[in-house]
């Protein structure tokens, strides 16, 4: 057997992860052919073994995803790492992923106009497990570039648009904020423009580009309500909140006070157990669970309370939805219930028929995921997926489903339902309400076509 199991493209056996060089269509072919040459015989032998052994009455056993008998001679080799002395503790003090995982990276989309300074990078959802996005792979969206700000010089000011709305405006240092009572919560953040190119059926090749502007972290920080209480906010009058960043984008959005009063909004300094990454707003960012990414102000330097919506520039030109009537829907804050299958997904290759674990992510800006149904025939039949718990409020939720691929073309979809009973729409249902001229807030059911060759493609069913 010529295959080298250490190669990342073969890490998961019969499934090829989206290749690094997918932009060159011949690149997909090459990886596919190499993998086929290396693994076909092995897979066929495994099937023969299963038949001889008399498979147990389980989907998994019947389709035998693992080699049954005969063995792999590689297990008898004693490589250097088994007989030699390994390396001492890492001397750089901060660990890195294995060099074999070098192709797991955030990337810029081929579906977007290339600018001199890129302002969006997408998370490699196809390569991630569970619900946490490693901080170094969290998607990025910068309206005016990112900064690594000195936390000792950074300040957060709270004030009212009118002195009557806040009794004692205050300026906090980062240290002062870190002395206050803190919360740690898992939440997804999704840019309102996630999945935008699919409105135009541009069909970018991988789930990284269709859905990679969503990420999920455990954030740590101080509830904004605590700061407002310290500053003596008059909650009867101050019904709106505005966050402002210390970067040059002057990017501001109105946040309704109810969200702060619920205790859910917080000023975060922590992300996945350490301080925020500079790209994600170090040293302070607003966490506004369930609300589109633009409201999660990074490099947070000022919070104002007001008695009316601000109608800020980004509320007049960005993140609005052009409805079929010709009118704009100005405030779409909540990210509606959505899901996507991350494996198998565009750019991946199934090397043979048999068992596969279909897996994906679901989320809802309104609360918790109640169920996820999966179809392998383009939405004619649905089966409930296994939800990996605990299911958390306004966080990514992982689902899995057993599947035996018969080698024929398959149309794989997922459809999530949240605890308000809202069901993720098909493109047909979404377009019936929203028309065809939207850019933002696309939460339609995604379809992946598994071709007979095993190659998986992004398609849209009308
Ligand atoms: N100060 C500031 N905050 C910002 C932005 C920005 O450009 N500057 N971009 C916003 C947008 S549009 C999104 S989607 C999220 C992206 O957060 P991330 O880069 O941590 O993924 O941050 C929001 N907060
Ligand atoms: Mo965004």
């Amino acid at each position: 057997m010529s295959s080298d199991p250490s190669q990342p493209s073969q890490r998961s056996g019969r499934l090829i992860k989206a290749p690094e060089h997918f932009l060159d269509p011949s690149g997909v072919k090459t990886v596919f052919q190499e993998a086929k040459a290396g693994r076909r015989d092995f897979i066929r032998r495994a099937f023969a073994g299963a038949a001889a052994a008399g498979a147990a009455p389980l989907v998994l056993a019947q389709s035998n995803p693992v080699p049954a008998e005969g063995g792999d001679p590689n297990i008898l080799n004693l490589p250097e790492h088994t007989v030699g002395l390994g390396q001492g503790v890492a001397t750089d003090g901060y660990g890195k992923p294995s060099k074999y995982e070098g192709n797991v990276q955030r990337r810029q989309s081929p579906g977007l106009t290339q600018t001199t300074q890129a302002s969006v990078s997408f998370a490699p959802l196809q390569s991630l497990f569970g619900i946490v996005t490693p901080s170094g792979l969290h998607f990025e969206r910068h309206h005016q570039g990112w900064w690594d700000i000195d936390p000792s010089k950074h300040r957060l000011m709270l004030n009212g648009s009118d002195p009557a709305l806040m009794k004692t405006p205050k300026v906090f240092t980062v240290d002062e904020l870190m002395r206050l009572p803190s919360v740690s919560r898992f939440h997804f953040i999704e840019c309102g423009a996630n999945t935008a190119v699919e409105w135009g059926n541009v069909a970018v090749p991988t789930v990284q580009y269709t859905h990679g502007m969503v990420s999920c972290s455990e954030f740590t920080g101080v509830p904004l309500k605590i700061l407002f209480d310290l500053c003596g906010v008059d909650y009867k009058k101050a019904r709106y909140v505005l966050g402002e960043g210390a970067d040059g984008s002057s990017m501001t959005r109105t946040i309704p006070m109810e969200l702060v009063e619920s205790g859910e909004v917080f000023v975060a300094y922590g992300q996945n157990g350490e301080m925020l990454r500079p790209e994600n707003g170090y040293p302070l960012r607003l966490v506004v669970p369930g609300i589109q990414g633009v409201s999660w102000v990074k490099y947070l330097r000022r919070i104002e309370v007001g008695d009316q919506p601000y109608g800020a520039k980004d509320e007049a030109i960005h993140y609005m939805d052009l409805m079929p009537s010709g009118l704009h829907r100005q405030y779409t804050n909540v990210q509606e219930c959505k899901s996507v299958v991350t494996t198998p997904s565009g750019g991946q290759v199934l090397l043979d028929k048999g068992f596969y674990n279909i897996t994906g992510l679901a989320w809802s800006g309104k609360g918790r995921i109640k169920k996820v149904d999966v179809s392998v025939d383009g939405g004619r039949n649905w089966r409930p997926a296994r939800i990996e718990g605990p299911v958390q409020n306004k966080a990514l939720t992982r689902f899995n489903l057993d599947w035996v691929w018969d080698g024929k073309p398959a149309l794989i979809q997922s459809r999530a339902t949240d605890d308000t009973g809202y069901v993720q729409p098909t493109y047909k249902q979404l377009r019936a309400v929203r028309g065809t001229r939207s850019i933002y807030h696309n939460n339609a059911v995604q379809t992946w076509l598994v071709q007979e060759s095993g190659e998986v493609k992004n398609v849209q069913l009308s």
Side-chain angles (χ1 to χ4, degrees):
M1 205 162 50
S2 62
S3 68
D4 174 358
S6 67
Q7 288 306 302
S9 63
Q10 305 205 356
R11 183 181 61 189
S12 46
R14 288 182 286 162
L15 190 127
I16 303 302
K17 298 290 179 182
E20 172 77 6
H21 41 299
F22 68 88
L23 278 178
D24 165 14
S26 64
V28 176
K29 267 270 159 340
T30 316
V31 173
F32 178 52
Q33 275 153 7
E34 280 166 10
K36 260 184 150 172
R39 302 291 286 184
R40 273 282 183 188
D41 285 353
F42 163 71
I43 288 157
R44 235 178 261 128
R45 257 193 294 132
F47 268 91
L58 281 168
V59 166
L60 193 66
Q62 277 164 3
S63 58
N64 194 37
V66 289
E69 62 178 70
D72 180 335
N74 280 326
I75 193 64
L76 298 177
N77 299 339
L78 289 185
E80 207 199 331
H81 55 76
T82 307
V83 294
L85 175 63
Q87 304 176 61
V89 292
T91 49
D92 55 7
Y94 197 103
K96 285 197 269 313
S98 162
K99 65 181 177 197
Y100 300 109
E101 300 301 319
N103 69 339
V104 180
Q105 292 183 6
R106 32 186 189 202
R107 296 192 176 92
Q108 296 159 43
S109 173
L112 295 177
T113 316
Q114 301 301 314
T115 48
T116 40
Q117 181 175 309
S119 64
V120 190
S121 72
F122 292 74
L125 301 183
Q126 69 280 2
S127 303
L128 304 182
F129 314 116
I131 64 165
V132 172
T133 312
S135 300
L137 296 173
H138 191 291
F139 86 90
E140 296 163 89
R141 175 73 181 100
H142 315 302
H143 289 244
Q144 193 68 17
W146 63 273
W147 298 89
D148 196 356
I149 293 172
D150 181 344
S152 70
K153 301 207 175 93
H154 190 72
R155 299 289 183 272
L156 173 65
M157 176 167 106
L158 288 92
N159 69 282
S161 63
D162 179 297
L165 303 181
M166 186 186 284
K167 212 183 282 164
T168 39
K170 282 186 195 297
V171 177
F172 290 87
T173 65
V174 176
D175 280 340
E176 282 163 355
L177 290 170
M178 290 176 77
R179 288 173 59 178
L180 296 173
S182 72
V183 294
S184 292
R185 292 180 191 145
F186 290 88
H187 287 301
F188 77 83
I189 165 174
E190 181 180 26
C191 177
N194 199 21
T195 322
V197 291
E198 299 292 302
W199 273 114
N201 208 350
V202 172
V204 285
T206 68
V207 70
Q208 181 157 14
Y209 303 122
T210 58
H211 289 74
M213 275 203 280
V214 69
S215 293
C216 184
S217 298
E218 187 197 43
F219 292 101
T220 296
V222 191
L224 185 51
K225 177 81 168 47
I226 290 183
L227 302 180
F228 280 178
D229 288 350
L230 283 173
C231 296
V233 166
D234 181 341
Y235 293 102
K236 281 211 191 68
K237 296 193 192 120
R239 298 312 301 159
Y240 299 94
V241 179
L242 195 77
E244 182 185 280
D247 55 337
S249 70
S250 301
M251 228 252 340
T252 39
R253 296 276 311 185
T254 305
I255 300 163
M257 183 60 91
E258 297 92 82
L259 295 174
V260 178
E261 288 174 300
S262 76
E264 285 199 351
V265 178
F266 59 99
V267 175
Y269 44 80
Q271 177 183 6
N272 296 330
E274 58 185 1
M275 289 296 283
L276 289 162
R277 291 291 170 94
E279 306 93 293
N280 306 120
Y282 181 87
L284 297 176
R285 99 172 297 169
L286 211 51
V287 168
V288 194
I291 305 301
Q292 61 177 341
V294 65
S295 294
W296 296 47
V297 177
K298 302 189 278 191
Y299 322 109
L300 184 68
R301 72 185 290 272
R302 194 172 71 90
I303 298 174
E304 182 176 298
V305 296
D307 54 7
Q308 53 189 324
Y310 283 82
K313 116 180 121 52
D314 291 280
E315 298 170 337
I317 53 170
H318 288 144
Y319 303 101
M320 298 190 309
D321 300 313
L322 182 52
M323 302 298 282
S325 65
L327 293 176
H328 280 97
R329 189 184 269 176
Q330 188 172 6
Y331 288 104
T332 303
N333 283 324
V334 175
Q335 293 296 108
E336 294 274 18
C337 184
K338 183 165 170 180
S339 70
V340 67
V341 168
T342 53
T343 290
S345 63
Q348 297 182 330
V349 180
L350 309 188
L351 285 184
D352 211 336
K353 52 194 176 187
F355 184 90
Y356 289 91
N357 180 56
I358 295 179
T359 190
L361 293 164
W363 60 99
S364 167
K366 287 195 180 142
R368 290 181 167 76
I369 291 299
K370 194 167 77 190
K371 66 169 181 158
V372 180
D373 296 307
V374 171
S375 174
V376 295
D377 58 9
R380 249 165 279 159
N381 298 286
W382 297 92
R383 277 196 293 152
R386 295 191 310 276
I387 305 274
E388 295 299 318
V391 177
Q392 302 186 68
N393 179 40
K394 300 170 189 174
L396 290 188
T397 300
R398 172 66 62 176
F399 62 87
N400 291 293
L401 186 78
D402 296 346
W403 179 47
V404 179
W405 184 43
D406 59 9
K408 303 207 180 81
L411 290 164
I412 301 192
Q413 301 181 326
S414 64
R415 184 184 65 191
T417 305
D418 69 18
D419 60 4
T420 69
Y422 174 98
V423 183
Q424 185 185 1
T426 61
Y427 270 100
K428 205 171 163 187
Q429 291 166 331
L430 188 67
R431 288 195 170 111
V433 177
R434 299 271 303 282
T436 56
R437 292 182 289 171
S438 279
I439 300 171
Y440 304 108
H441 311 115
N442 176 0
N443 68 326
V445 165
Q446 167 70 36
T447 309
W448 303 115
L449 167 64
V450 180
Q451 298 166 284
E452 248 167 306
S453 65
E455 288 161 282
V456 187
K457 255 180 76 173
N458 179 10
V459 296
Q460 216 177 90
L461 303 187
S462 49

